[in-house]
């Protein structure tokens, strides 16, 4: 099939949507499809559309549906679509009705859809090819924070948390991620200059950021919302335990009873969780490592590729007609 992969980020972007679009396109090509990644729909003949982000790709989805009434449409639902809810995110309900399938990156995302649309959803967890092993630093207990400087990531919360650690803590926080505006850049740079436990590396090539993760003792995720963070599955793939905000995007991957959560926006709770992991109080670090190790299979590329193969087999079997597409708006 000739597939248009629409992403709100440029194809070379290291932001989450760009990374996901490239990985999905690569897997679909391996399955024999011809895939073009584009910022939108500029016309032309395609057999199917895979659109990342129901909100930001809405116009692309509408135009494609109008010009290709029999072609399947798959919408990849992102964190800023799903949370806190579609209405708050500004997602047009009529756009959701156009989808033959939805892809969510973790199981809890399906529950955000209206009940009559949930049967169209498929959970496809993200994956990562093998990453070369890296030795942890011996001069500190390094904690990785891989996040671009955006409000939804609460990017300064981990730096605030490490300021609260006791003097004898060996924790050092390494932050890799770019800032999209000068004000954010100045704010993060000022924090790095004044906080001896916090190093900001700025935007790094993805391979270099993954090496920071691979050598670290922990990954911290401070996001207020996530659809299913790339970096969590990357941490699972390289065997690095995770401490995360208690959000559906993480509980849907790590489990509701995972022992490494802290409340959104709570620097004190994050500091306590980091210090407990560093000291392995009550074996907490061992439990985090064991639980993440048990979930490592979620990040296997073969699993993700098989899921896409199965989704496409379903769509081929259905072969919706233009009349079916008109009727699909009914529950």
């Amino acid at each position: 099939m000739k597939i248009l992969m629409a992403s709100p980020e440029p194809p070379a972007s290291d932001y989450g949507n760009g990374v996901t679009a490239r990985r999905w396109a690569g897997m679909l090509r391996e399955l024999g499809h011809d895939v073009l990644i584009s910022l939108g729909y500029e016309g032309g003949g395609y057999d199917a559309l895979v659109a990342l982000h129901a909100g930001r790709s809405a116009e692309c989805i509408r135009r494609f549906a109008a010009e290709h009434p029999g072609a399947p449409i798959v919408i990849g639902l992102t964190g800023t679509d799903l949370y806190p809810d579609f209405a708050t995110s500004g997602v047009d309900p009529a756009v959701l009705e156009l989808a033959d399938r939805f892809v969510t990156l973790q199981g809890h995302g399906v529950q955000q859809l209206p009940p009559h649309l949930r049967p169209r959803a498929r959970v496809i967890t993200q994956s990562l090819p093998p990453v070369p092993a890296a030795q942890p630093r011996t001069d500190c207990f390094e904690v990785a924070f891989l996040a671009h400087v955006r409000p939804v990531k609460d990017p300064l919360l981990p730096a605030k948390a490490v300021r609260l650690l006791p003097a004898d803590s060996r924790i050092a926080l390494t932050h890799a991620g770019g800032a999209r505006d000068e004000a954010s850049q100045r704010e993060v740079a000022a924090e790095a200059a004044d906080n001896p436990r916090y190093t900001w590396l700025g935007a790094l090539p993805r391979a270099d950021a993954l090496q920071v993760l691979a050598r670290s003792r922990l990954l911290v995720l401070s996001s207020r919302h996530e659809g299913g963070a790339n970096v969590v599955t990357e941490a699972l793939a390289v065997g690095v335990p995770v401490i995360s905000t208690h959000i559906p995007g993480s509980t849907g991957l790590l489990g509701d009873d995972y022992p490494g959560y802290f409340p959104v926006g709570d620097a004190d709770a994050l500091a306590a969780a980091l210090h407990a992991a560093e000291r392995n109080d009550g074996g907490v670090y061992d439990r985090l490592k064991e639980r993440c190790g048990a979930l490592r299979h979620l990040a296997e590329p073969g699993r993700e590729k098989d899921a896409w193969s199965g989704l496409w087999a379903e769509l081929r079997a259905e072969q919706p007609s233009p009349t079916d597409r008109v009727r699909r708006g009914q529950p």
Side-chain angles (χ1 to χ4, degrees):
M1 299 181 77
K2 186 177 180 182
I3 300 171
L4 176 65
M5 176 79 66
S7 168
E9 298 290 345
S13 170
D14 277 335
Y15 283 77
N17 289 325
V19 171
T20 299
R22 290 196 301 275
R23 190 180 64 257
W24 284 1
M27 290 185 172
L28 292 173
R29 288 169 184 144
E30 290 174 9
L31 292 170
H33 302 290
D34 178 12
V35 185
L36 173 69
I37 303 177
S38 173
L39 287 172
Y41 173 60
E42 302 298 335
Y46 296 94
D47 300 311
L49 169 69
V50 178
L52 264 167
H53 209 298
R56 294 173 66 188
S57 296
E59 184 58 29
C60 165
I61 295 166
R62 293 189 194 97
R63 287 190 58 201
F64 187 92
E67 296 185 24
H68 300 77
I73 293 174
V74 178
I75 298 179
L77 296 172
T78 69
T80 47
D81 287 327
L82 293 167
Y83 302 111
D85 53 59
F86 287 116
T88 305
S89 301
V91 174
D92 182 356
V95 168
L96 298 178
E97 297 289 347
L98 295 172
D100 294 88
R101 290 293 184 277
F102 300 98
V103 172
T104 68
L105 306 178
Q106 42 79 22
H108 290 344
V110 176
Q111 303 309 310
Q112 296 294 101
L113 284 161
H116 72 282
L117 294 180
R118 292 173 192 169
R120 302 184 202 171
R122 300 293 178 268
V123 179
I124 302 180
T125 54
Q126 302 177 94
S127 67
L128 182 71
V131 174
Q135 290 297 315
R137 289 171 57 180
T138 58
D139 61 326
C140 65
F141 186 95
E142 187 173 22
V143 176
F145 177 48
L146 309 186
H148 293 295
V149 183
R150 299 166 51 206
V152 72
K153 305 293 186 181
D154 207 351
L156 286 176
L157 184 74
K160 293 175 183 175
V162 297
R163 283 181 176 271
L164 302 173
L165 293 168
D168 62 352
S169 171
R170 298 177 64 249
I171 285 178
L173 179 69
T174 303
H175 179 188
R180 283 187 166 180
D181 60 79
E182 291 185 6
S184 296
Q185 182 172 333
R186 286 194 300 269
E187 187 176 17
V188 178
E191 176 66 26
D194 190 53
N195 187 339
R197 293 190 185 275
Y198 173 58
T199 299
W200 179 46
L201 303 178
L204 292 183
R206 187 160 180 262
D208 293 345
L210 288 174
Q211 280 300 296
V212 171
L213 175 62
R215 77 183 187 215
S216 295
R217 312 277 184 167
L218 283 172
L219 168 78
V220 63
L221 182 83
S222 58
S223 299
R224 297 181 177 277
H225 300 294
E226 287 283 356
N230 268 305
V231 72
V232 171
T233 45
E234 289 166 352
L236 295 178
V238 299
V240 174
V242 179
I243 289 179
S244 171
T245 40
H246 194 273
I247 55 174
S250 291
T251 59
L253 285 169
L254 300 171
D256 291 327
D257 62 345
Y258 179 73
Y261 297 128
F262 67 96
V264 170
D266 193 332
D268 290 293
L270 175 54
L274 292 172
H275 195 220
E278 178 191 12
R279 296 179 3 150
N280 200 21
D281 289 344
V284 63
Y285 183 83
D286 293 337
R287 291 200 304 276
L288 292 173
K289 197 163 184 67
E290 181 181 1
R291 287 289 296 272
C292 288
L295 295 170
R296 194 168 189 163
H297 67 282
L298 295 177
E300 293 173 357
R303 180 187 177 97
E304 186 177 21
K305 183 178 174 182
D306 288 347
W308 276 105
S309 178
L311 184 151
W312 232 254
E314 291 177 10
L315 292 174
R316 283 198 302 268
E318 291 175 6
Q319 295 181 334
S321 68
T323 302
D324 292 331
R325 182 169 292 279
V326 171
R327 290 175 177 168
R328 253 189 338 210
Q330 301 174 355

